[in-house]
Amino acid sequence: MVDLYEYIVDVPDFPEPGIVFKDITPLLASPEAFLQAVDEMADPFLASSIDIVVGIESRGFLLAGSIAERIGSGVGLVRKPGKLPRDTVAVTYELEYGTDTLEIHADAFSDGARVLIVDDVLATGGTLAASKDLIEKAGGVVVGATMLLELSFLNGREKFNGPLHANLVY
Ligand code: AMP
């Protein structure tokens, strides 16, 4: 076992002043840390009959594939606007300044598909809440969410009702 906290690097004032960016690339680059992280992210949902693991662009994608392999499910993509080539459904949500939009293929799920959401960082929870809305709009059932790390002082967890796992809590 390794201490995963040692593989996360704080980058002050990125991408703008006042934000401490959690850089996960050292964790991704370490075979021991990466495998341990995806094991720990998958474990709470191994018995949850997940049909599809959905990664949120873009660091969520890196984790979602390996978690899906452990769970024995497929993988789906929540993407920024204009990236998906066929019919999509979209949600637009509020940011601190302005709005953001996420898309998924309209036929991403068979009706009632059981979905696990994967992302690297839970911050304010806006992205996770919007992804849940989007998945439900496309006919999926959100069973839970699994994150590499949670910035608990931002209370993002309050925006998501359902099982929510985070490996590392700050
Ligand atoms: P939020 O919607 O505020 O929960 O933000 C979540 C999304 O923004 C995730 O997809 C993260 O990749 C990214 N993010 C937000 N805050 C940070 C941070 N401090 N360090 C790294 N990524 C972040």
Side-chain angles (χ1 to χ4, degrees):
M1 295 281 279
V2 298
D3 179 1
L4 295 180
Y5 285 97
E6 290 180 2
Y7 294 82
I8 308 292
V9 176
D10 282 2
V11 185
D13 300 320
F14 183 88
E16 48 190 83
I19 305 281
V20 179
F21 189 85
K22 297 290 186 189
D23 178 18
I24 69 163
T25 57
L27 183 147
L28 297 173
S30 157
E32 297 81 15
F34 181 70
L35 289 177
Q36 183 177 320
V38 291
D39 276 343
E40 289 179 8
M41 290 176 78
D43 276 352
F45 297 97
L46 289 177
S48 302
S49 303
I50 303 296
D51 297 307
I52 185 157
V53 169
V54 169
I56 302 176
E57 186 165 3
S58 56
R59 278 160 285 157
F61 295 167
L62 296 166
L63 300 162
S66 291
I67 291 168
E69 192 211 334
R70 280 157 175 72
I71 286 179
S73 73
V75 190
L77 310 180
V78 166
R79 298 212 66 177
K80 311 256 166 68
K83 303 275 192 182
L84 291 167
R86 294 184 293 102
D87 279 353
T88 58
V89 289
V91 286
T92 296
Y93 61 105
E94 301 288 325
L95 300 174
E96 199 174 350
Y97 302 103
T99 63
D100 220 340
T101 299
L102 293 172
E103 293 184 346
I104 196 165
H105 271 144
D107 64 357
F109 308 118
S110 49
D111 248 3
R114 292 169 62 79
V115 179
L116 175 65
I117 303 175
V118 173
D119 203 0
D120 63 334
V121 174
L122 177 69
T124 65
T127 305
L128 178 59
S131 299
K132 182 171 189 278
D133 287 350
L134 184 62
I135 289 163
E136 288 169 353
K137 248 173 127 173
V141 174
V142 176
V143 174
T146 193
M147 304 280 147
L148 179 59
L149 68 91
E150 173 183 4
L151 304 178
S152 62
F153 51 90
L154 295 175
N155 301 317
R157 188 173 275 275
E158 289 169 9
K159 295 208 182 94
F160 186 80
N161 51 29
L164 172 55
H165 170 80
N167 278 4
L168 306 176
V169 180
Y170 291 84

